[in-house]
Amino acid sequence: MTAADATAADATATDMSAAEVTAAEIARLAGVGRAAVSNWRRRHADFPKPVGGTETSPSFALAEVERWLRDQGKLAEVPLRERVWQQLSAHPAGAVTALVHAGCALLLVHHRPSGWPALGAVSDARLAAVLPGALEEVLTFRFGAPRAVRTPSPDELAPSVPLLRGAAALAAETGARQAFEFLLGRHLDANPRQY
C-alpha cells in the first residue's frame, strides 16, 4: 500500500465513522428487506444502538452496522455504490454540495475518460489542488460562461476527494451518467419533503 492509498483509506474511514444509515439503508447494504432489519434489532442484543434520527425512524452509525453485519456473516464488503452514497450523504458540507462536486467530477470523467486515471493517481491534497483547473475547463466547455454551477475551490474540494474517487470508480463500472443518476435519485428518495 502506498502512502497515498493509506491516506485515502484513512480519509474514507474517517468519513465512514461519521456516516449514519437508516433501517432501509441497512437493508440495502445487506441485500434484505426492511423487515429483516427490524427482526435483527429485536432478536440480537448486540445489534448497534441508534445514534440519531427519531424513535420511529432511527439512524445508526455506518461503521458499527458494517462491523455487526460482517461479524454475523451478512456482509462481506459494502458494495461500491452504497459506499459512494454513504460518502455523499455524510459529507461535512451537506449532501447537496457533495452532489454538485460529484456531478462536476463525473462530467469530467465523461468528457475526458482518459484523463481521470492520471488525476486519480495523485495524492488527495494534490487532487484537490489540480482538480479545479480541469473542472473549470470542462464546465465552461459544457455550460459556457457565466454559468449557474461555479467551479469549486481546492479548499471546498478537499473533503470531497474520497467521494470523487469513489464516484469515478462507480462511473468506471456503470458509466458517468448512470453513476450521477443513481446518486441524484438516491438523494431525492432520501429527501422527498425537501423537494
Side-chain angles (χ1 to χ4, degrees):
M1 177 181 275
T2 67
D5 291 338
T7 301
D10 289 346
T12 300
T14 300
D15 289 345
M16 291 299 98
S17 67
E20 295 179 14
V21 290
T22 63
E25 291 167 327
I26 294 169
R28 281 191 198 106
L29 288 173
V32 298
R34 287 185 66 178
V37 176
S38 295
N39 287 337
W40 295 340
R41 288 184 65 201
R42 278 195 315 274
R43 294 180 182 167
H44 298 278
D46 63 337
F47 190 86
K49 302 297 180 224
V51 296
T54 65
E55 190 172 314
T56 57
S57 182
S59 61
F60 306 85
L62 176 60
E64 292 177 20
V65 168
E66 286 180 343
R67 191 174 314 111
W68 188 87
L69 290 171
R70 279 194 188 92
D71 291 348
Q72 299 295 315
K74 299 180 185 318
L75 178 70
E77 185 63 37
V78 176
L80 177 60
R81 56 192 277 138
E82 293 302 322
R83 182 161 303 282
V84 173
W85 164 248
Q86 294 308 327
Q87 289 170 328
L88 187 141
S89 66
H91 194 280
V96 172
T97 296
L99 195 56
V100 170
H101 290 181
C104 290
L106 288 169
L107 190 60
L108 178 62
V109 169
H110 175 73
H111 281 283
R112 296 188 185 153
S114 61
W116 180 262
L119 280 173
V122 301
S123 71
D124 286 0
R126 181 74 180 134
L127 182 57
V130 300
L131 199 51
L135 293 178
E136 177 66 25
E137 288 178 22
V138 76
L139 288 170
T140 301
F141 171 77
R142 179 67 180 224
F143 301 113
R147 59 181 181 273
V149 177
R150 67 174 186 73
T151 304
S153 71
D155 288 342
E156 292 169 324
L157 284 174
S160 298
V161 168
L163 166 64
L164 304 184
R165 290 184 189 282
L170 186 59
E173 286 184 3
T174 65
R177 179 187 202 112
Q178 292 81 357
F180 186 75
E181 286 175 354
F182 163 72
L183 294 171
L184 177 60
R186 182 69 73 83
H187 176 69
L188 294 174
D189 288 346
N191 301 284
R193 290 187 181 114
Q194 186 175 348
Y195 300 100

